[in-house]
Amino acid sequence: MKDRLRLFFCDHLSIMRGKYLPGSKLGADGETRFCQSTFGVHFDKDLLPSPGSKMLEGLPDMVATWRAADIREGWEPATKVVMCDLHDAAGAPIGPCGRGALKRTVADWAARGLHAKVGLELEAYAFERGPDGALRPYEAPGGHVYGTGPAADPAGFMDAVWEEAEAAGFRLEMMTTEYDNPQFEFTLAYDDAVKAVDDLVLFRLMAREVALKRGLILTFMPKPIPEKGGSGLHVNFSFAGEDGRNALSGGDGGGPEAMNDLAKGCVAGLVHHHEGLAGLLAPTVNSYRRLRPASLSGFWKNWGGDHRNVTTRVSAEGGAKARIEHRMADAAANPYTAVAAVLQAARLGVERGYPLPPAEAGDGFESQDATSGVAETLEGALDALEADSALVEAVGPELVANQLFMRRAEAEKLKGANAEAERDFYIHFI
């Protein structure tokens, strides 16, 4: 096969969409077109007149553009890959596009002289088909938390993922098994915000495709197995100042005691917008099987230091490694949208001077200081998001309107569905 280009964008459902283009498209900036009404397509292929989809306006084209400098090695033979930006025919950004929202967010912080840096942690479960053709968890009876090697991964698919990741230029920081079996965790290198998310969405797709070739379905669903733990997307962030130093650093030490004014403002913003954030960070019906009290998932409206049962965690590391970790999101969220929402909530905290409540002192299992958390259902979370006008305006009104419309339709489709039907609705796409 001759060289070709595989072009991508990440849609409102966090599905990677794109097309293959000939090798003549390599080596130069370029553009191609997609139907804008893709932003009205649901998991079940239902086409809906959602805000920003222009379904009832003739299903027009949108323009996908890419830069030659962003073309990178892929994981298929003779295939390069690239992420694109989306615009309408007049050159205006497509409102529901998460990557566009993140770029606007980065620009908002840059106007303050701060460059957003992000590190992302992903969790996933592996499934296989049994002799009867039914889905079942990948059989790894020797798996355990922080497991490596054949006992945790008898088929060796993690080795294959690592090998492909290395060949494609992804910078993996860590790969291991999580608390529940067969659950895996992947951490990518800290980087500029847009670059970090580009890497994440491409890595996530690559890992799923590598697993699929070995007969496994790697799913980033929040809670595919009801009796086991959930899978999250933890967002770690910091800012480089104009001098290149970590602007969140309050000195060599870390934790709540070393927080400077910027860090305090960011945490206050995340706490203040807690309920509204859930509508973007936990955007599926299945998300609310994971997002529960005492589940290390970001349910409670609280913050703390080195404490895995709080939503916003201030790292114990200081200096160049000072950072804030937000633990609510799951990987069903569009990662561009999720990171944009976290950074915008933090920015609002800094700019509006929200008060910072005391740090959580409870253990999060048997006791907690927090008295409120997120809604218990997707419908409730979407209502809270819609009511949070400041967050809606910051992230992007058309993006949020699209999410509210599409996710409310999703909640209606899955009303009364049992856990297995819910899993099968999502598993091949998330």
Side-chain angles (χ1 to χ4, degrees):
M1 184 192 298
K2 294 181 179 180
D3 286 347
R4 60 181 179 175
L5 178 64
R6 192 178 181 188
L7 176 82
F8 295 107
F9 67 94
C10 187
D11 79 354
H12 53 302
L13 304 176
S14 201
I15 295 173
M16 294 288 276
R17 300 189 187 268
K19 59 177 69 171
Y20 291 107
L21 298 173
S24 60
K25 301 294 185 180
L26 297 168
D29 297 351
E31 67 175 51
T32 188
R33 294 185 175 229
F34 296 92
C35 177
Q36 187 167 332
S37 300
T38 303
F39 282 98
V41 177
H42 226 304
F43 290 110
D44 59 2
K45 315 302 190 294
D46 201 5
L47 177 59
L48 302 173
S50 61
S53 70
K54 296 193 174 182
M55 174 192 162
L56 301 179
E57 299 172 49
L59 292 82
D61 278 348
M62 58 183 175
V63 182
T65 61
W66 71 89
R67 298 189 315 150
D70 293 334
I71 296 173
R72 56 186 292 168
E73 291 296 327
W75 50 93
E76 295 176 291
T79 304
K80 309 285 188 182
V81 298
V82 71
M83 295 300 300
C84 65
D85 290 314
L86 300 175
H87 307 273
D88 64 20
I94 298 297
C97 177
R99 193 170 191 252
L102 180 56
K103 287 192 168 186
R104 292 193 300 274
T105 301
V106 167
D108 287 343
W109 277 104
R112 300 182 61 86
L114 297 170
H115 189 70
K117 313 284 281 188
V118 169
L120 300 164
E121 306 169 42
L122 272 172
E123 295 164 334
Y125 278 91
F127 283 77
E128 60 189 349
R129 298 226 176 246
D132 60 354
L135 282 173
R136 66 183 187 188
Y138 172 40
E139 202 165 330
H144 52 79
V145 66
Y146 301 136
T148 56
D153 177 24
F157 93 89
M158 290 177 72
D159 288 343
V161 168
W162 191 286
E163 184 177 350
E164 291 287 359
E166 202 168 61
F170 294 108
R171 293 184 298 138
L172 273 170
E173 289 287 322
M174 183 273 292
M175 186 187 296
T176 189
T177 55
E178 254 293 350
Y179 187 85
D180 282 296
N181 182 34
Q183 189 182 28
F184 301 87
E185 181 176 357
F186 310 93
T187 302
L188 274 68
Y190 220 76
D191 214 324
D192 296 341
V194 176
K195 172 69 163 54
V197 183
D198 284 348
D199 283 356
L200 180 88
V201 296
L202 290 169
F203 172 83
R204 184 182 62 179
L205 179 64
M206 180 273 292
R208 282 177 61 88
E209 293 185 351
V210 169
L212 194 60
K213 287 181 179 179
R214 285 155 180 79
L216 299 174
I217 297 174
L218 188 67
T219 178
F220 297 90
M221 276 179 64
K223 190 94 163 180
I225 306 174
E227 64 273 17
K228 296 193 176 186
S231 293
L233 169 63
H234 296 171
V235 179
N236 296 269
F237 69 92
S238 62
F239 303 96
E242 293 178 342
D243 59 0
R245 296 182 180 179
N246 188 337
L248 283 183
S249 175
D252 293 335
E257 305 79 18
M259 290 169 66
N260 59 20
D261 288 343
L262 176 62
K264 290 176 182 177
C266 288
V267 173
L270 290 165
V271 174
H272 184 91
H273 292 285
H274 181 81
E275 295 92 337
L277 281 167
L280 294 171
L281 305 190
T284 68
V285 171
N286 185 252
S287 299
Y288 294 85
R289 294 185 184 272
R290 167 186 173 265
L291 206 54
R292 310 295 295 173
S295 62
L296 288 77
S297 65
F299 174 87
W300 290 111
K301 185 174 182 175
N302 61 5
W303 72 281
D306 193 6
H307 192 326
R308 284 180 168 82
N309 245 334
V310 298
T311 298
T312 302
R313 182 184 180 202
V314 179
S315 174
E317 295 183 287
K321 293 187 176 181
R323 65 190 182 278
I324 295 169
E325 177 187 13
H326 197 260
R327 298 171 58 83
M328 182 193 294
D330 61 58
N334 178 309
Y336 295 101
T337 299
V339 173
V342 167
L343 293 178
Q344 288 289 11
R347 182 182 65 83
L348 290 170
V350 172
E351 294 184 354
R352 298 191 173 202
Y354 300 141
L356 179 66
E360 177 65 63
D363 58 49
F365 290 114
E366 298 180 350
S367 66
Q368 64 278 324
D369 299 329
T371 57
S372 63
V374 300
E376 295 185 358
T377 64
L378 174 60
E379 297 97 319
L382 295 173
D383 289 345
L385 171 61
E386 187 172 31
D388 191 339
S389 57
L391 183 64
V392 169
E393 185 62 32
V395 175
E398 193 170 25
L399 184 153
V400 173
N402 179 277
Q403 285 291 296
L404 292 171
F405 183 97
M406 296 300 287
R407 299 302 183 173
R408 282 172 173 152
E410 182 177 323
E412 187 63 30
K413 289 171 190 274
L414 290 174
K415 191 168 289 184
N418 62 25
E420 184 176 343
E422 191 177 290
R423 179 201 69 194
D424 291 349
F425 184 80
Y426 293 114
I427 195 167
H428 295 290
F429 305 104
I430 297 174

